[in-house]
């Protein structure tokens, strides 16, 4: 069982074996211009991605659904979802971004007004600053609590699912509040509602997620299958990305500030965090030169792996120099800190401009 609301670190190979997730690398050579997260193995698994690939190659309609749960500050681990959305936008996707305020209320006890404010200040502003134009007609941002069509669809889905099934998937118990029990059905409706006739009818739909969200994908695919005759649903596809580790080596979390680089951090704060992050260096300089470093254990290298856009050759050079002992941790930290400082100096200005239009995004959808 996987708990989508837990901070437990997951074993990717075990998840793939237990839940039938296919290796993404097996279809990588079929993608004409793969995203860097695909090329670098960060996107490691998929379900039925072939449907999306066919739609892209043949210029047919397809949808992307990926939500944001406004329960805390947005960090650079969240950034990889936006990076993917920008790529899919360039490839003709219709994009749906539900703001999971109902989930935030039931699972994190955050009231609806606070969720709205967090969504605008932390997430929507950052999405825009990262290059996703949320004012486009093909991008739909909405609050779960304000989308009556989604809520009605979730109610219809509820008749096709029983508590024993939800307990088996999520581990719910007799003490789980009913709002929390109901939220997975809302998320299933988020994923499937772009296939309703009101939105153009059935079409391939992709949900890019971390592996902790796979229970929602499995439930949604089961519901889609049960209601196929009524709605003609196409089972949603999914991709799975690795989680970026926290600066101290564990899981990056909004609730643990020392583990994360937040998108609202100042360039000075980010530079300090990078220079104090865990590395894969040896105990002494002499050992580093003789044995080389271990970039696989280095959070500083991981920052480059996830966020050095398009520079595969430079990334390979850093890896090689670390491995053969010609690049020392201090020099590498300074280089990466400088890279991140320059990135965030530009990003902070873009984010400041984005704040002026962020609130209007929700008003545009719900006048």
């Amino acid at each position: 069982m996987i708990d989508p609301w837990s901070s437990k670190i997951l074993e990717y190979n075990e998840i793939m074996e237990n839940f039938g997730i296919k290796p993404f690398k097996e279809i990588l050579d079929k993608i004409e211009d793969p995203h860097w997260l695909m090329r670098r193995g960060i996107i490691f698994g998929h379900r039925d991605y072939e449907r999306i690939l066919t739609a892209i190659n043949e210029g047919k309609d397809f949808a992307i659904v990926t939500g944001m749960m406004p329960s805390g500050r947005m960090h650079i681990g969240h950034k990889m979802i936006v990076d993917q959305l920008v790529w899919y936008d360039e490839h003709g996707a219709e994009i749906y971004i539900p703001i999971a305020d109902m989930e935030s209320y039931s699972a994190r006890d955050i009231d609806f007004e606070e969720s709205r404010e967090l969504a605008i200040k932390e997430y929507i502003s950052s999405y825009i600053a990262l290059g996703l134009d949320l004012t486009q007609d093909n991008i739909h941002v909405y609050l779960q609590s304000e989308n009556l069509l989604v809520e009605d669809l979730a109610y219809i889905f509820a008749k096709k699912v029983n508590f024993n099934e939800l307990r088996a998937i999520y581990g719910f118990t007799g003490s789980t509040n009913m709002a929390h029990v109901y939220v997975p059905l809302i998320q299933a409706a988020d994923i499937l509602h772009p296939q309703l006739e009101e939105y153009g009818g059935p079409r391939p739909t992709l949900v890019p997620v971390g592996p902790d969200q796979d229970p929602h994908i499995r439930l949604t695919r089961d519901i889609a299958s049960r209601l196929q005759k009524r709605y003609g649903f196409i089972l949603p596809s999914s991709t799975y990305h690795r989680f970026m580790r926290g600066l101290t080596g564990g899981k990056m979390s909004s609730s643990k500030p020392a583990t994360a680089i937040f998108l609202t951090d100042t360039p000075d704060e980010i530079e300090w965090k990078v220079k104090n992050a865990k590395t894969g260096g040896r105990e002494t300089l002499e050992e580093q030169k003789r044995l080389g470093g271990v970039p696989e254990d280095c959070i500083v290298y991981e920052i480059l792996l996830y966020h050095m856009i398009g520079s595969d050759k430079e990334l390979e050079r850093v890896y090689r120099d670390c491995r053969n002992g010609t690049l020392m941790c201090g020099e590498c930290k300074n280089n990466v800190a400088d890279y991140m400082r320059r990135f965030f100096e530009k990003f902070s200005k873009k984010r400041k401009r984005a704040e002026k239009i962020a609130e209007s995004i929700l008003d545009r959808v719900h006048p």
Side-chain angles (χ1 to χ4, degrees), residues 138-276:
N138 67 309
I139 299 182
H140 313 274
V141 185
Y142 64 89
L143 289 156
Q144 286 177 332
S145 64
E146 294 184 3
N147 193 318
L148 296 181
L149 189 149
V150 165
E151 292 179 34
D152 289 347
L153 191 61
Y155 185 77
I156 292 169
F157 289 174
K159 191 173 182 181
K160 298 295 181 180
V161 181
N162 61 49
F163 181 74
N164 285 340
E165 184 177 5
L166 293 177
R167 179 170 56 189
I169 295 173
Y170 296 100
F172 292 151
T173 69
S175 63
T176 306
N177 72 74
M178 292 309 296
H180 197 168
V181 172
Y182 189 61
V183 154
L185 299 172
I186 292 287
Q187 294 188 324
D190 284 327
I191 293 169
L192 291 175
H193 87 278
Q195 296 193 49
L196 296 177
E197 290 302 325
E198 293 94 320
Y199 292 91
R203 55 181 157 172
T205 302
L206 174 69
V207 190
V209 291
D212 62 331
Q213 300 300 302
D214 187 55
H216 301 317
I217 304 299
R218 286 185 275 118
L219 174 65
T220 302
R221 286 168 63 91
D222 286 346
I223 291 171
S225 180
R226 293 165 195 171
L227 288 167
Q228 227 161 11
K229 287 185 179 179
R230 179 172 177 179
Y231 291 102
F233 287 138
I234 298 171
L235 270 61
S237 304
S238 50
T239 58
Y240 301 88
H241 55 257
R242 300 177 187 276
F243 291 117
M244 185 176 177
R245 289 177 297 167
L247 300 175
T248 54
K251 190 173 181 180
M252 187 173 289
S253 172
S254 296
S255 62
K256 298 176 181 177
T259 69
I261 292 175
F262 296 107
L263 297 188
T264 50
D265 281 344
T266 67
D268 285 343
E269 288 172 327
I270 290 162
E271 182 176 354
W272 186 89
K273 286 183 175 183
V274 171
K275 288 183 176 180
N276 287 274

Side-chain angles (χ1 to χ4, degrees), residues 253-304:
S253 172
S254 296
S255 62
K256 298 176 181 177
T259 69
I261 292 175
F262 296 107
L263 297 188
T264 50
D265 281 344
T266 67
D268 285 343
E269 288 172 327
I270 290 162
E271 182 176 354
W272 186 89
K273 286 183 175 183
V274 171
K275 288 183 176 180
N276 287 274
K278 178 182 177 292
T279 70
R282 304 292 178 175
E283 289 189 8
T284 67
L285 193 63
E286 181 185 344
E287 281 189 356
Q288 181 86 356
K289 290 178 179 179
R290 180 166 53 88
L291 301 174
V294 187
E296 293 85 354
D297 292 338
C298 180
I299 305 304
V300 178
Y301 174 76
E302 197 162 300
I303 291 171
L304 294 179

